[in-house]
Amino acid sequence: MTLEVTLCHRVGAFELDIAFTAPAGVTALFGRSGAGKSSVVNAVAGLFRPKAGRIVLNGRPLFDAEAGIFVPPHRRRMGYAFQDGRLFPHLSVRQNLCFAPGGKRPLDEVATLLGLTPLLDRRPRDLSGGEKSRVAMGRALMCDAEMLLLDEPMAALDTARKAEILPYLDRICQTSDLPVLYVSHALPEVAQLARTLIVLRDGRVSHAGPVADLLSDPEALPAIGGRAAVSVLRGHIAAHFAADDLTEVALSGGRLLLPRIALPIGRTVTLRIAAREVIVASTRPEGLSALNVLPATVTAVREGSGPGATLGLAIGRDVVLARITRRSLRALALSPGSACYAILKSTSIAPDDVIPETGGDGPTMDPRSAPGR
């Protein structure tokens, strides 16, 4: 299942000139406000007719300017969750969910997936912001859709509510067999949810490719945002150490000790590691409180306009980003090909930076693993 998009459209002084292919799974449209993300997703939904271009879903043309094809929104079979939810205030949660056109998924299945069963008889006025967002996503799932469009469904939520709803959204993306186009300007959400990343800048595609590849590419950082840079690594639970509440995660290039992760041995997990949390040493350090010291090789160096520099570090088959100062870069004499060590404190990876692979309920980290260990 693929989505092919080519669009040209001018609105006032803003010109949209986009071309990308979204494969199966979750594709994130990422960029700053005004980059054109919502315009693209609205064009895919059929909410406006571009001046030129072509949109094809699974081989079926939805829009073709030259051929004069424009499938109206109600015939595109898109499940769309807007930023503001757009629930019907006079209907209950159950009625809002069942309002979805051509609904084929069982109500109980969607309610269970999103934790909505206790809320089915409530009205939107009695829901929290996170609960309203979950209902909006549930309604998108309920319709007879070929694709899900999620336009910044958590943009209006505070940090606490985002933490509440992100596991539900992750569950949708992991369990749904539909392609998903996810719009966001929040890098942690993209790193957790998406498989493919399309970076928009001023109405154009600046970068496109697998999320893990782009997030580990120092050259892509100016478009993505260097200060928020994260690496995405995949590993599995190798061991638990009850004596000090630690868990060992095996990666392609070594093992990390992290605060206890409440998952069974062998379970595959994805880790998000912030570049600012990685320390680099030219020789193996001793006498450190940090438990994780991994041999690495510098793959790339990108110096910013300020005091910072970003390194790409190959650790086994993975590439991890590290943010250091340019002074440290010169002092360590690091360049592509240099051997070094990547150092990471166990507590620098937060609970929501450990994502279990498909399925699995409950917290990813045990509450007992408090910061400071």
Side-chain angles (χ1 to χ4, degrees):
M1 290 187 174
T2 59
L3 174 72
E4 302 169 50
V5 175
T6 304
L7 296 176
C8 290
H9 190 79
R10 177 179 284 275
V11 181
F14 181 77
E15 183 174 353
L16 192 67
D17 189 357
I18 296 289
F20 66 87
T21 298
V26 181
T27 296
L29 290 178
F30 178 82
R32 296 177 180 176
S33 297
K37 305 183 299 297
S38 292
S39 296
V40 172
V41 79
N42 284 337
V44 173
L47 299 183
F48 79 92
R49 186 169 187 159
K51 300 292 185 183
R54 195 166 185 261
I55 300 173
V56 180
L57 176 62
N58 302 331
R60 179 170 72 104
L62 303 178
F63 165 68
D64 191 321
E66 290 189 7
I69 297 173
F70 182 78
V71 177
H74 65 280
R75 291 181 51 206
R76 294 200 179 192
R77 298 177 61 189
M78 298 282 182
Y80 199 151
F82 297 88
Q83 293 183 29
D84 54 5
R86 303 192 187 184
L87 304 180
F88 297 105
H90 62 292
L91 300 180
S92 67
V93 169
R94 184 191 309 275
Q95 291 168 323
N96 267 281
L97 292 172
C98 293
F99 195 86
K104 288 190 174 180
R105 294 188 70 160
L107 173 62
D108 289 347
E109 176 186 327
V110 173
T112 300
L113 177 67
L114 291 170
L116 297 174
T117 302
L119 309 177
L120 289 176
D121 294 323
R122 293 190 191 179
R123 297 287 178 90
R125 65 173 179 268
D126 300 319
L127 302 177
S128 69
E131 289 166 345
K132 290 177 183 177
S133 294
R134 279 153 51 194
V135 175
M137 287 188 286
R139 188 171 58 187
L141 281 174
M142 286 285 291
C143 70
D144 183 20
E146 288 186 346
M147 184 171 192
L148 293 180
L149 306 176
L150 305 178
D151 187 3
E152 301 208 54
M154 298 192 292
L157 304 181
D158 59 25
T159 301
R161 297 290 77 76
K162 285 184 180 182
E164 167 197 325
I165 198 173
L166 195 56
Y168 293 99
L169 186 53
D170 186 38
R171 197 176 303 173
I172 287 177
C173 295
Q174 296 284 357
T175 60
S176 176
D177 57 357
L178 301 176
V180 179
L181 195 60
Y182 184 79
V183 178
S184 179
H185 63 272
L187 199 56
E189 296 173 20
V190 170
Q192 176 164 345
L193 301 172
R195 181 181 304 173
T196 304
L197 179 59
I198 310 293
V199 182
L200 302 187
R201 188 171 186 176
D202 299 327
R204 288 167 170 76
V205 175
S206 65
H207 295 80
V211 168
D213 291 351
L214 288 184
L215 294 186
S216 62
D217 181 4
E219 295 305 317
L221 289 183
I224 295 173
R227 292 186 178 181
V230 297
S231 304
V232 179
L233 282 71
R234 195 163 176 263
H236 67 270
I237 306 297
H240 293 299
F241 301 97
D244 48 11
D245 281 340
L246 294 176
T247 291
E248 187 176 73
V249 177
L251 305 173
S252 66
R255 302 196 169 206
L256 292 179
L257 285 170
L258 303 177
R260 178 179 166 82
I261 302 171
L263 293 171
I265 290 176
R267 183 71 177 273
T268 300
V269 294
T270 297
L271 305 179
R272 291 185 310 209
I273 300 177
R276 64 179 180 273
E277 298 290 353
V278 180
I279 298 172
V280 182
S282 56
T283 59
R284 176 177 281 278
E286 296 182 0
L288 290 179
S289 62
L291 296 176
N292 302 301
V293 180
L294 299 176
T297 302
V298 177
T299 61
V301 177
R302 189 181 192 285
E303 296 189 43
S305 56
T310 302
L311 306 182
L313 305 176
I315 301 176
R317 297 186 301 274
D318 300 305
V319 176
V320 173
L321 295 181
R323 289 275 294 170
I324 64 175
T325 63
R326 288 193 290 168
R327 177 179 293 190
S328 295
L329 179 67
R330 292 192 297 270
L332 297 175
L334 295 174
S335 61
S338 297
C340 61
Y341 292 87
I343 303 159
L344 189 69
K345 290 170 55 179
S346 296
T347 53
S348 63
I349 297 183
D352 58 1
D353 289 326
V354 181
I355 305 113
E357 184 183 74
T358 59
D361 298 319
T364 53
M365 282 196 186
D366 192 290
R368 292 174 296 169
S369 47
R373 279 190 167 86

